[in-house]
Amino acid sequence: MRWYLCASEHQLEHLPDDADGVVVPYPGLGVATLLPRYPSESEAERMIREAADRGLRVQALADFTCSGCEHLSASGHGTFRSTLEYLAHDLEVDGLVVADPYAVELAAGLDVTVVVSHTAAVDTPEKAWYFDRLGADVITVDPSLNEDESTVDAVRERVSARLRAAVNAVTWRDPVAYFERNLRSHLTRRGESPSPYKNDPYGPLRRRRVVRGVREELFDEVLIILGGEPP
Amino acid sequence: MRWYLCASEHQLEHLPDDADGVVVPYPGLGVATLLPRYPSESEAERMIREAADRGLRVQALADFTCSGCEHLSASGHGTFRSTLEYLAHDLEVDGLVVADPYAVELAAGLDVTVVVSHTAAVDTPEKAWYFDRLGADVITVDPSLNEDESTVDAVRERVSARLRAAVNAVTWRDPVAYFERNLRSHLTRRGESPSPYKNDPYGPLRRRRVVRGVREELFDEVLIILGGEPP
């Protein structure tokens, strides 16, 4: 099964023919997947409706790695919960792609497919087991495992979730991914873009570790990130 | 060389005799090391002065993994910079233990020893190289490497920085450490403590991966975290 991550209406219009479904970044809660651009909230909603109208399966991507305690505060918790419910029940997405363990747990209580994002950096059977027990239906492994048969097999033995590979994604082995994903989680939530040495301080010395290869036969499904290099 | 992480005045009073120096959590900028308690800012300052009076070397720990863009915003940037300068020039610490790449770069411009914390999760030669190039004098590897001679040797070949091991620290292999460190970075900065399922949602299913062993001969120095289990 092939999913494509579409970050713009243009990408959705030019979707490859072999697409079984699309993943749409939903910036309202924060997105940690590193992309050259992010849709606005209204753009994301149009894309979700358009994809559903075309008979595609749709998953919303809200894979923030940090929310600055917002989704855990007394006030923020309700908003967080109701946004997940809005996505599941009003926008009627088929699945939610999340990374934060509490988001996984909450999403598991809704009637949607719960997908752990590659931004959760699952690269060991123990990590996979943890998310499996929280209620994940699908676990995307860290892209460093895309061609690593023995580790993928070891992960599979520990979990009942289906396994997904992400293609054209940054691996956690990238030295800055940890920090950039956190930064992006906050910026996308606020609708802001990074600017060098103001809120893009990680540019110098950056060498992107983007994984383009995959042994598809090791996985139940594949997510292909469309578009150019992450910034 | 042996450093001890002291999170309270009580621990500082009962410091083991073999201590060459102490590391004191400085919550003002955010601390990501997982500890049972954190000193207040004034407590941290008293400890720093007290340790210096006793002739010990002192490093301030500000190893946040996320600051919610604060240290990168137009207003926050100045405060961030001046706090690092305050620690280095007014409190006269001998070193700063940080994790964020931009913090490493800024600290490298001050007259202090720049230490990369284990919270930066350096577990490959490539990650170590990145921080080395940013100006780190000492790099603490992820505790999963504490007894891993071949990886530590490979790291050593790539960097000029000295290598430190952290003992009694949570490894990045812990499935929740990524998210908890982010949460702690924000909470310590605000002077708040986590409470179950309000701002400690990661409790269920949590299995701490604390590393207690180390092959000291592989490292130039060791940091021993005093006190009980991280929460």
Side-chain angles (χ1 to χ4, degrees), chain A residues 72 100 127 172 197-198 202, chain B residues 72 100 105 172 198 202:
Chain A
L72 309 172
D100 179 276
K127 288 190 186 177
W172 186 79
Y197 264 79
K198 185 178 152 209
Y202 308 130
Chain B
L72 310 172
D100 180 275
E105 209 177 340
W172 186 80
K198 187 179 148 205
Y202 308 129

Side-chain angles (χ1 to χ4, degrees), chain A residues 161-208:
Chain A
R162 299 191 297 282
L163 298 186
R164 177 184 286 187
V167 176
N168 301 335
V170 175
T171 163
W172 186 79
R173 303 252 150 213
D174 181 292
V176 210
Y178 187 168
F179 303 95
E180 280 200 313
R181 286 180 180 156
N182 290 343
L183 179 64
R184 283 308 174 112
S185 298
H186 286 276
L187 287 177
T188 51
R189 194 184 172 99
R190 298 188 197 174
E192 291 176 12
S193 295
S195 61
Y197 264 79
K198 185 178 152 209
N199 48 22
D200 182 23
Y202 308 130
L205 296 176
R206 180 163 50 192
R207 285 186 181 186
R208 275 275 152 261

Side-chain angles (χ1 to χ4, degrees), chain B residues 27-224:
Chain B
L29 296 172
V31 173
T33 295
L34 300 173
L35 298 169
R37 82 179 290 279
Y38 298 85
S40 68
E41 211 162 296
S42 59
E43 204 179 348
E45 296 203 3
R46 280 199 306 274
M47 289 164 68
I48 289 169
R49 293 185 205 278
E50 164 70 18
D53 286 348
R54 284 166 55 185
L56 292 160
R57 290 200 230 186
V58 190
Q59 294 179 346
L61 179 73
D63 63 345
F64 62 89
T65 52
C66 188
S67 79
C69 319
E70 274 306 294
H71 71 307
L72 310 172
S73 68
S75 57
H77 177 265
T79 310
F80 176 58
R81 206 183 171 100
S82 61
T83 305
L84 291 180
E85 286 168 357
Y86 173 73
L87 285 164
H89 301 149
D90 295 75
L91 286 179
E92 295 182 320
V93 297
D94 299 290
L96 293 170
V97 187
V98 291
D100 180 275
Y102 189 48
V104 172
E105 209 177 340
L106 271 188
L110 303 171
D111 185 29
V112 286
T113 301
V114 180
V115 184
V116 173
S117 174
H118 70 284
T119 64
V122 175
D123 61 354
T124 64
E126 289 71 26
K127 288 190 186 178
W129 178 86
Y130 174 79
F131 284 105
D132 193 65
R133 289 286 299 272
L134 286 178
D137 299 301
V138 180
I139 294 171
T140 313
V141 299
D142 184 80
S144 61
L145 268 52
N146 279 9
E147 310 194 47
D148 180 349
E149 184 168 4
S150 64
T151 308
V152 173
D153 285 350
V155 167
R156 198 177 281 286
E157 275 183 27
R158 287 294 299 277
V159 303
S160 57
R162 298 192 297 282
L163 298 186
R164 177 184 285 188
V167 176
N168 299 335
V170 175
T171 164
W172 186 80
R173 304 251 150 214
D174 181 292
V176 208
Y178 187 168
F179 303 95
E180 281 199 312
R181 285 180 181 154
N182 291 343
L183 179 63
R184 283 308 176 112
S185 298
H186 286 277
L187 287 176
T188 51
R189 194 183 172 98
R190 297 188 198 174
E192 291 176 11
S193 295
S195 61
Y197 262 79
K198 187 179 148 205
N199 49 21
D200 181 23
Y202 308 129
L205 297 176
R206 179 163 52 192
R207 285 186 179 186
R208 276 274 153 263
R209 294 286 300 267
V210 180
V211 177
R212 308 199 182 284
V214 63
R215 285 180 55 190
E216 289 204 38
E217 72 275 15
L218 302 179
F219 297 94
D220 301 301
E221 43 191 81
V222 176
L223 168 69
I224 297 151

